[in-house]
Amino acid sequence: MFKTNPMKTKLRFTSFFVALLIFASFKGNAQVHVGIYHEGILSHIGVGTDPEKKFFAEARVLAGGMVNPFMGLEALGHYNFRQTGWYNLHGGIMLGHNEISDAQAGIPLGLSVKPIANHRQFTLLMEGTPMYSAYDFTFRALIGLRYTLSKEY
């Protein structure tokens, strides 16, 4: 068996995420969003493209902690099925890798609610994802906060 150094693995994931944030911040007029999501004892930190477009993408890091020290990365592509001034209903595909189950794939279905009329770039995300990992089929539920960084606001 190969032994992996958990500290090196976490450093690699963190370095990738920091590089992604730096790249996103240098995009001239591009709107990006950042989010933090919670799933039971697991937390996710995400950065992505403008969620108000018909198609948008997001990269997420599974942020390990004391209870769950495992790390992971996910790439998500979304399509907005319905968009209003108060909410967006979206779905897509998720591909990821983590230290628990290696590869995983899923179909996230989400509802982004924009609760503040004068602050539409702030959203509350609720998402359910039927997922298949290397070991089994599961269903994941996330809730979190997302903020869109834009020069227009």
Side-chain angles (χ1 to χ4, degrees), residues 5 8 14 26 38 41 51-52 69 72-73 109-110 123 127-128 136:
N5 183 337
K8 282 186 178 180
T14 305
F26 284 116
H38 194 64
I41 62 169
E52 293 301 316
L73 287 174
L109 301 170
T123 59
E127 183 180 279
D136 57 359

Side-chain angles (χ1 to χ4, degrees), residues 7-82:
M7 187 57 105
K8 282 186 178 180
T9 302
K10 288 182 181 185
L11 184 60
R12 284 186 198 128
F13 282 123
T14 305
S15 299
F16 173 78
F17 189 67
V18 168
L20 189 63
L21 280 174
I22 291 170
F23 174 75
S25 68
F26 284 116
K27 298 292 282 179
N29 291 331
Q31 292 181 333
V32 296
H33 72 267
V34 292
I36 185 159
Y37 317 110
H38 194 64
E39 163 203 358
I41 62 169
L42 305 175
S43 296
H44 299 255
I45 301 168
V47 64
T49 61
D50 184 3
E52 293 301 316
K53 302 268 183 174
K54 204 65 170 164
F55 291 95
F56 67 99
E58 184 174 27
R60 292 182 186 165
V61 171
L62 173 63
M66 294 301 290
V67 175
N68 173 35
F70 302 105
M71 301 287 286
L73 287 174
E74 295 178 353
L76 295 94
H78 291 280
Y79 175 78
N80 276 315
F81 296 114
R82 179 154 171 86

Side-chain angles (χ1 to χ4, degrees), residues 52 82-88 112-123 153:
E52 293 301 316
R82 179 154 171 86
Q83 293 176 273
T84 72
W86 289 99
Y87 69 90
N88 291 352
S112 297
V113 178
K114 305 170 223 175
I116 305 171
N118 293 332
H119 216 63
R120 294 289 184 209
Q121 65 267 38
F122 171 76
T123 59
Y153 294 108

